[in-house]
Amino acid sequence: MIESPINEIDIVKAKTSKIEKVDFNNLAFGKTFTDHMFVCDFEDGKWQTPKIIPYQAMTIEPSARVFHYGQAVFEGMKAYKDENDRVFLFRPEDNHRRINKSAARMAIPEFPKDYFFKGLSELLNLDKDWIKPGIGNSLYLRPFVIATEPAISAAPSETYRFMIICSPAKAYYKGKVRVLFAEKFSRSADGGVGFAKAAGNYGAQFYPTSLAQKKGFQQIIWTDASTHEYLEEAGTMNIFFRIGNTLITAPNNDRILDGITRKSVIQLAKDLGIECEVRRVSVKEIRAAAQDGSLKEIFGAGTAAVISPISAFEHAGDVFEIDDIEESYASLFKQGILNIQHNEAEDLHGWRFEIK
């Protein structure tokens, strides 16, 4: 872990704010951005003095390596405000560790922890008014790194740009989601970059997901690349299954993202005395459970949606509907996580991080 001390951040404040033009009751996810952004360049073998500047377009050469070789990683985080106007992040140290793990896999230099947290704090204090209190409201944060060196030889870049942009958010998915079990396409493979939040992982999902959407499904549950017999992730989320009263989720490996919400659900299950098995989950097992009625729930877990219940799945032409149940695990975990994030419940595990 890089622990470079930071002496200052150069800050240029926006002359006017865009906030009065924003309808916070009707937000399309990820399309509205706050007044400022964080920028830090890697040059001459080290990260330079970070800056916070007004949100704006930037100039980059068409030969920048990010366009040609895909050296780009990112994170997804949220900031929350309680009723006393205090601002919190949720498990941000996990995000910092993960973006550096992703960066290392893509031959990108790791970003110093002090820069990361100081940058987040200064940025959120500047754009604090964009964070609205109340369950369901948040400010989505997108830290990311791109290769900027203007060169098209096939080699890692020698220069990079680390940025954080912010977007006010409400619910990501509205209502329940219908999914298709993947039988042909794969999200990632052994030895690849599936565990990293590399930009190309997500771009590669768009085409098979568009095919699923044409059939009336919002997302795909990805299966293993070798046999397509085991269920691994749901679209951009980790996946959980409830058979009887047992919660089941696939183990982490080099194909599956180490989801922070996933880890939180597993811990909350332990706190509540809910049996949770971390093991391989076969398509055959879930089909059988759906047929005999023991499959009670499927839900996705991720930063943007928190918990996203799944109402039906298709596999090999067969569609299986999942009935609503009272006191679902999905609603229990979602409310539990939201309450911790918004400072409305005790934080037993030190997950909240207050912005001072």
Side-chain angles (χ1 to χ4, degrees), residues 4-165:
S4 298
I6 184 172
N7 296 319
E8 62 178 325
I9 295 179
D10 292 339
I11 298 176
V12 178
K13 293 183 180 180
K15 293 181 180 179
T16 59
S17 176
K18 304 172 290 187
I19 195 168
E20 298 301 327
K21 299 178 182 178
V22 177
D23 181 356
F24 283 87
N25 293 316
N26 294 285
L27 291 168
F29 186 86
K31 293 189 176 181
T32 300
F33 298 94
T34 63
D35 294 320
H36 299 91
M37 61 186 190
F38 175 90
V39 181
C40 188
D41 290 317
F42 183 89
E43 297 172 350
D44 301 322
K46 64 181 181 179
W47 291 101
Q48 304 298 310
T49 300
K51 298 179 288 186
I52 293 176
I53 59 177
Y55 182 90
Q56 59 191 265
M58 63 184 187
T59 300
I60 187 168
E61 294 203 28
S63 54
R65 289 192 192 271
V66 65
F67 298 136
H68 303 275
Y69 304 110
Q71 270 188 292
V73 298
F74 69 92
E75 267 301 315
M77 308 171 64
K78 283 183 177 179
Y80 309 86
K81 183 181 284 185
D82 70 8
E83 295 301 328
N84 295 314
D85 211 38
R86 296 163 68 193
V87 174
F88 299 91
L89 300 175
F90 183 71
R91 305 187 67 165
E93 294 218 8
D94 289 298
N95 293 103
H96 178 255
R97 280 193 292 269
R98 192 170 64 181
I99 197 169
N100 277 343
K101 184 179 179 181
S102 299
R105 180 61 181 84
M106 299 299 291
I108 296 171
E110 295 182 22
F111 195 66
K113 182 177 179 179
D114 198 32
Y115 283 34
F116 185 78
F117 279 90
K118 180 70 172 177
L120 281 169
S121 296
E122 294 286 357
L123 184 59
L124 290 174
N125 279 321
L126 274 177
D127 285 344
K128 187 175 182 179
D129 290 345
W130 290 78
I131 314 170
K132 301 303 179 183
I135 296 290
N137 296 319
S138 63
L139 185 67
Y140 185 83
L141 313 176
R142 173 52 62 88
F144 65 101
V145 193
I146 58 172
T148 54
E149 183 187 7
I152 56 172
S153 56
S157 180
E158 293 187 5
T159 64
Y160 297 88
R161 175 162 291 181
F162 183 101
M163 302 183 68
I164 306 172
I165 55 176

Side-chain angles (χ1 to χ4, degrees), residues 33-342:
F33 298 94
T34 63
D35 294 320
H36 299 91
M37 61 186 190
F38 175 90
V39 181
C40 188
D41 290 317
F42 183 89
E43 297 172 350
D44 301 322
K46 64 181 181 179
W47 291 101
Q48 304 298 310
T49 300
K51 298 179 288 186
I52 293 176
I53 59 177
Y55 182 90
Q56 59 191 265
M58 63 184 187
T59 300
I60 187 168
E61 294 203 28
S63 54
R65 289 192 192 271
V66 65
F67 298 136
H68 303 275
Y69 304 110
Q71 270 188 292
V73 298
F74 69 92
E75 267 301 315
M77 308 171 64
K78 283 183 177 179
Y80 309 86
K81 183 181 284 185
D82 70 8
E83 295 301 328
N84 295 314
D85 211 38
R86 296 163 68 193
V87 174
F88 299 91
L89 300 175
F90 183 71
R91 305 187 67 165
E93 294 218 8
D94 289 298
N95 293 103
H96 178 255
R97 280 193 292 269
R98 192 170 64 181
I99 197 169
N100 277 343
K101 184 179 179 181
S102 299
R105 180 61 181 84
M106 299 299 291
I108 296 171
E110 295 182 22
F111 195 66
K113 182 177 179 179
D114 198 32
Y115 283 34
F116 185 78
F117 279 90
K118 180 70 172 177
L120 281 169
S121 296
E122 294 286 357
L123 184 59
L124 290 174
N125 279 321
L126 274 177
D127 285 344
K128 187 175 182 179
D129 290 345
W130 290 78
I131 314 170
K132 301 303 179 183
I135 296 290
N137 296 319
S138 63
L139 185 67
Y140 185 83
L141 313 176
R142 173 52 62 88
F144 65 101
V145 193
I146 58 172
T148 54
E149 183 187 7
I152 56 172
S153 56
S157 180
E158 293 187 5
T159 64
Y160 297 88
R161 175 162 291 181
F162 183 101
M163 302 183 68
I164 306 172
I165 55 176
C166 311
S167 178
K170 294 184 80 68
Y172 188 66
Y173 292 114
K174 295 181 179 179
K176 291 196 172 185
V177 176
R178 299 172 68 86
V179 300
L180 189 68
F181 285 6
E183 298 177 70
K184 175 183 176 183
F185 295 101
S186 301
R187 178 187 175 274
S188 59
D190 293 337
V193 296
F195 69 88
K197 285 187 77 73
N201 285 346
Y202 296 80
Q205 295 184 45
F206 295 158
Y207 175 66
T209 301
S210 71
L211 297 180
Q213 290 170 345
K214 289 176 182 177
K215 296 181 67 176
F217 298 91
Q218 285 78 40
Q219 277 292 354
I220 293 175
I221 295 187
W222 302 100
T223 48
D224 69 290
S226 300
T227 68
H228 295 294
E229 293 177 1
Y230 293 93
L231 298 155
E232 297 196 329
E233 285 199 319
T236 57
M237 301 176 288
N238 295 116
I239 189 73
F240 286 85
F241 305 89
R242 176 184 175 183
I243 297 179
N245 290 322
T246 300
L247 198 63
I248 308 167
T249 191
N252 284 337
N253 53 45
D254 57 11
R255 301 183 305 276
I256 296 177
L257 184 72
D258 184 16
I260 294 166
T261 308
R262 172 188 177 275
K263 291 191 286 192
S264 304
V265 168
I266 292 171
Q267 182 60 58
L268 289 179
K270 182 178 179 180
D271 295 345
L272 295 167
I274 294 171
E275 184 177 358
C276 183
E277 298 178 359
V278 180
R279 60 171 175 80
R280 298 184 81 184
V281 186
S282 71
V283 173
K284 186 181 296 184
E285 177 184 9
I286 298 305
R287 283 184 61 115
Q291 289 168 334
D292 68 22
S294 59
L295 179 65
K296 303 301 182 183
E297 296 180 71
I298 306 177
F299 58 86
T303 298
V306 186
I307 301 293
S308 185
I310 290 168
S311 61
F313 70 88
E314 181 195 309
H315 177 258
D318 299 320
V319 177
F320 299 87
E321 302 287 341
I322 303 171
D323 295 332
D324 289 336
I325 60 172
E326 294 184 5
E327 300 181 355
S328 69
Y329 286 176
S331 59
L332 179 67
F333 292 130
K334 183 169 186 174
Q335 196 60 50
I337 290 172
L338 287 172
N339 286 344
I340 294 169
Q341 291 170 336
H342 288 269

